[in-house]
Amino acid sequence: MGASIGASGYVLTFAIAYIRDFALANHIVAESFETFVPWSRCRLICEGVKKDVLKAHRARCLPGNPIISYRVTQLYDEGACVYFYMAMYMKGVNEPSKVYSQLEKEARASILQRGGSLSHHHG
């Protein structure tokens, strides 16, 4: 494997940039964020965050339907690292990055209120 794995990673980084550019050109704002979740709260947090984001999106009368998904990326004795992915169509929205940031902040607050942590390992 060796250096080919690293080279593949760089190719993926460039591909993601092109996907980002395509998404932004089509008024889609998206990002990921992660948390550590105790096993006993995993389902509650995942489903709750999704519900809260949908509610916040509707409350702002934003266009379309947001996409919010999640996946477990690392397993530990005490719980799991969960990555959330959030994407929204923002055509016609005033200050879309600001609105998106507000929704992401609310999603993070939802995680904390349900017993997750602010971050998995990135600080």
Side-chain angles (χ1 to χ4, degrees):
M1 294 186 167
S4 66
I5 297 299
S8 296
Y10 283 116
V11 169
L12 181 59
T13 299
F14 289 116
I16 289 170
Y18 286 112
I19 293 168
R20 179 208 57 219
D21 291 348
F22 172 81
L24 289 173
N26 288 283
H27 311 285
I28 298 167
V29 180
E31 186 58 86
S32 65
F33 52 94
E34 93 288 338
T35 182
F36 175 80
V37 178
W39 287 118
S40 63
R41 308 200 64 72
C42 197
R43 179 173 287 199
L44 174 75
I45 290 170
C46 291
E47 292 175 355
V49 169
K50 189 169 186 172
K51 182 184 87 169
D52 289 348
V53 168
L54 292 171
K55 182 179 175 184
H57 187 274
R58 278 193 294 274
R60 287 174 172 83
C61 299
L62 296 171
N65 295 306
I67 296 170
I68 177 113
S69 63
Y70 46 85
R71 70 184 178 108
V72 172
T73 59
Q74 286 107 350
L75 307 176
Y76 302 99
D77 291 338
E78 301 83 10
C81 172
V82 177
Y83 269 74
F84 287 88
Y85 301 91
M86 200 165 72
M88 295 175 195
Y89 181 67
M90 296 291 214
K91 185 172 185 179
V93 175
N94 189 33
E95 299 185 85
S97 294
K98 183 177 178 181
V99 172
Y100 186 91
S101 291
Q102 292 168 346
L103 287 165
E104 184 178 342
K105 185 176 180 182
E106 290 179 35
R108 291 178 188 276
S110 178
I111 289 168
L112 293 173
Q113 290 168 357
R114 289 181 167 82
S117 65
L118 185 57
S119 179
H120 164 57
H121 60 258
H122 298 291

